[in-house]
């Protein structure tokens, strides 16, 4: 997905958080203390910047290493059951790997309750790419990083979570209904043809026997073992046997169990990094089409929603009129 079709281009927006925060601070100062106070503040800051530049130039002449600010890049991952956000995450990571310097930090604000194994496996692998490129990785969890979400989080050099964030759930779950008895009661046959003893085990419509269930359970256990091995690889000091029960914990308890490294909100962490680093937020999205820019797509969607909402009433009136016509 590194190179998208021209029909579905991805655009990347970059926000310099230091400058954005500075502008907000100045706006607040002007509103609360007046323009004179703001003017004096700007003079003071300009003086400090001039002194810092002078000191930097002096050190350079002496041959000492310059103390330049490091760079921090902020990414967001809001995961659904399919981990669909990996489409944009991989683009952002590819851009960073090609542009960032070794030693720079990437902060991923992660929110996910987990989902499909292959989807979150790919998302976790994307984060591994950052570490392989020599970048420091921090994952911040404000609400939840469970199951597949924790699979991603555990890759980080530093996992930061809010005190009541949900962490863990290192387990695998699968469930499905079975309609075999209902079909049998209605004299409906269901046939399935496979090649290979275990091409299908448990099914929704077929009759499941103990051998099917045992094989399916075996596959779940294998997936769970892979999950535990992955967590142990990136957090070797974690007692995986103790936490890989499918349970989840809130931030404070997760810290005691070594599932995370510190308690802090992503806002606090990023503000602290802004004191000695240049912090940039990256956000990619699929470039809107002309119809979306003009609002035509939204208008069509709204019209469809209204039509669907009114459909039951329309059908009810139609049914009533039909019966009235029959009674005539």
């Amino acid at each position: 997905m590194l190179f998208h079709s021209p029909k579905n281009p991805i655009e990347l927006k970059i926000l310099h958080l230091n400058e954005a925060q500075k502008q907000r601070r100045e706006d607040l100062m002007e509103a609360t203390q007046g323009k004179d106070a703001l003017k004096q503040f700007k003079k003071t800051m300009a003086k400090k910047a001039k002194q810092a530049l002078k000191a930097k130039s002096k050190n350079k002449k002496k041959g000492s290493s310059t103390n330049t600010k490091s760079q921090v890049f902020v990414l967001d991952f809001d995961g659904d059951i399919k981990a669909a956000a990996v489409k944009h995450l991989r683009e952002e990571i590819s851009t960073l790997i090609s542009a960032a310097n070794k030693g720079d930090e990437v902060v991923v604000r992660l929110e996910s309750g987990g989902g499909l194994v292959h989807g979150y496996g790919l998302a976790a692998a994307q984060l591994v790419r950052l570490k392989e490129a020599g970048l420091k990785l921090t994952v911040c969890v404000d609400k939840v990083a469970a199951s597949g979400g924790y699979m991603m989080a555990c890759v980080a050099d530093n996992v930061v979570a809010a005190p009541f964030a949900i962490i863990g759930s290192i387990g695998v779950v699968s469930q499905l209904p079975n309609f075999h008895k209902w079909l049998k009661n209605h004299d409906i046959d269901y046939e399935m043809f496979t090649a290979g003893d275990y091409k299908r085990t448990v099914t929704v419509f077929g009759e499941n026997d103990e051998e099917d269930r045992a094989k399916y359970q075996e596959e779940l256990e294998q997936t769970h073992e892979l999950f535990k091995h992955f967590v142990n690889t990136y957090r070797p000091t974690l007692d995986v046997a103790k936490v890989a029960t499918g349970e989840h914990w809130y931030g404070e308890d997760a810290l005691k169990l070594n599932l995370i490294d510190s308690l802090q909100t992503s806002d606090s962490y990023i503000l602290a990094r802004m004191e000695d680093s240049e912090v940039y937020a990256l956000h990619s999205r699929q470039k809107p089409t002309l119809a979306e820019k003009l609002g035509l797509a939204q208008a069509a969607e709204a019209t469809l929603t209204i039509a669907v909402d009114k459909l039951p009433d329309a059908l009810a009136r139609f049914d009533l009129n039909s019966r009235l016509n029959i009674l005539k």
Side-chain angles (χ1 to χ4, degrees):
M1 299 293 285
L2 180 57
F3 300 104
H4 280 270
S5 165
K7 293 182 180 179
N8 296 293
I10 296 292
E11 62 179 10
L12 180 66
K13 291 189 175 182
I14 302 170
L15 176 64
H16 190 185
L17 296 183
N18 301 67
E19 290 298 323
Q21 184 69 9
K22 176 185 174 183
Q23 185 60 52
R24 294 190 189 103
R25 180 174 57 185
E26 291 178 357
D27 290 344
L28 180 60
M29 181 174 289
E30 183 178 3
T32 57
Q33 300 179 36
K35 291 184 178 180
D36 291 338
L38 176 60
K39 188 176 180 180
Q40 184 60 41
F41 173 75
K42 286 184 176 181
K43 280 186 179 180
T44 303
M45 296 303 293
K47 186 177 180 180
K48 287 183 178 180
K50 188 176 180 179
Q51 290 173 347
L53 184 63
K54 187 176 180 180
K56 180 180 175 181
S57 178
K58 187 176 180 181
N59 289 333
K60 190 174 182 180
K61 287 180 181 179
K62 288 181 179 180
S64 58
S65 58
T66 56
N67 184 23
T68 57
K69 277 190 172 185
S70 60
Q71 295 183 117
V72 177
F73 302 95
V74 181
L75 308 180
D76 289 289
F77 185 90
D78 189 1
D80 57 11
I81 194 169
K82 294 182 179 180
V86 74
K87 174 182 178 181
H88 296 285
L89 179 69
R90 68 199 308 179
E91 293 290 336
E92 294 160 0
I93 288 175
S94 294
T95 301
L96 285 177
I97 289 174
S98 65
N101 301 316
K102 285 189 176 182
D104 285 345
E105 182 180 1
V106 178
V107 177
V108 179
R109 293 184 288 200
L110 172 64
E111 300 296 340
S112 175
L116 298 177
V117 174
H118 57 277
Y120 279 91
L122 176 59
Q126 294 298 328
L127 297 184
V128 172
R129 291 174 62 205
L130 290 168
K131 297 183 68 174
E132 291 175 343
L135 299 172
K136 180 184 176 183
L137 176 61
T138 297
V139 166
C140 293
V141 183
D142 287 326
K143 295 179 181 177
V144 56
S147 195
Y150 188 73
M151 180 188 288
M152 293 178 66
C154 74
V155 174
D157 301 294
N158 182 29
V159 182
V160 180
F164 286 93
I166 295 173
I167 305 294
S169 190
I170 303 173
V172 184
V173 62
S174 179
Q175 56 188 353
L176 73 164
N178 183 266
F179 296 96
H180 174 71
K181 291 181 179 179
W182 184 85
L183 293 174
K184 188 175 180 180
N185 289 337
H186 288 78
D187 295 323
I188 300 173
D189 291 330
Y190 173 76
E191 295 180 318
M192 179 171 59
F193 305 92
T194 64
D197 293 340
Y198 299 114
K199 181 60 178 176
R200 285 290 181 271
T201 52
V202 295
T203 71
V204 175
F205 298 109
E207 183 176 8
N208 298 320
D209 58 26
E210 289 305 316
E211 183 181 0
D212 295 329
R213 296 187 183 95
K215 179 60 179 175
Y216 196 69
Q217 183 63 43
E218 179 185 335
E219 292 171 352
L220 290 183
E221 295 294 343
Q222 289 174 346
T223 304
H224 191 208
E225 287 301 318
L226 286 172
F227 192 175
K228 290 192 291 184
H229 176 71
F230 186 87
V231 173
N232 189 58
T233 299
Y234 291 98
R235 291 192 75 86
T237 59
L238 180 63
D239 186 352
V240 176
K242 185 176 181 180
V243 298
T245 58
E247 298 172 86
H248 69 266
W249 293 269
Y250 291 111
E252 291 190 358
D253 291 329
L255 180 62
K256 295 174 184 176
L257 291 167
N258 200 31
L259 286 160
I260 62 174
D261 299 298
S262 61
L263 290 173
Q264 197 175 14
T265 63
S266 63
D267 311 281
S268 297
Y269 183 81
I270 291 171
L271 279 172
R273 297 299 290 117
M274 285 168 61
E275 293 179 5
D276 58 2
S277 305
E278 298 295 336
V279 184
Y280 302 88
L282 280 69
H283 177 68
S284 63
R285 65 168 185 166
Q286 188 167 316
K287 196 171 181 179
T289 63
L290 179 61
E292 289 171 336
K293 288 181 178 179
L294 296 175
L296 299 179
Q298 293 88 333
E301 184 179 355
T303 302
L304 180 61
T305 301
I306 293 171
V308 170
D309 289 341
K310 292 186 176 182
L311 183 60
D313 291 337
L315 290 174
R317 286 196 298 271
F318 176 78
D319 181 58
L320 177 60
N321 290 335
S322 298
R323 283 183 287 165
L324 290 173
N325 290 333
I326 292 170
L327 290 173
K328 284 183 179 178

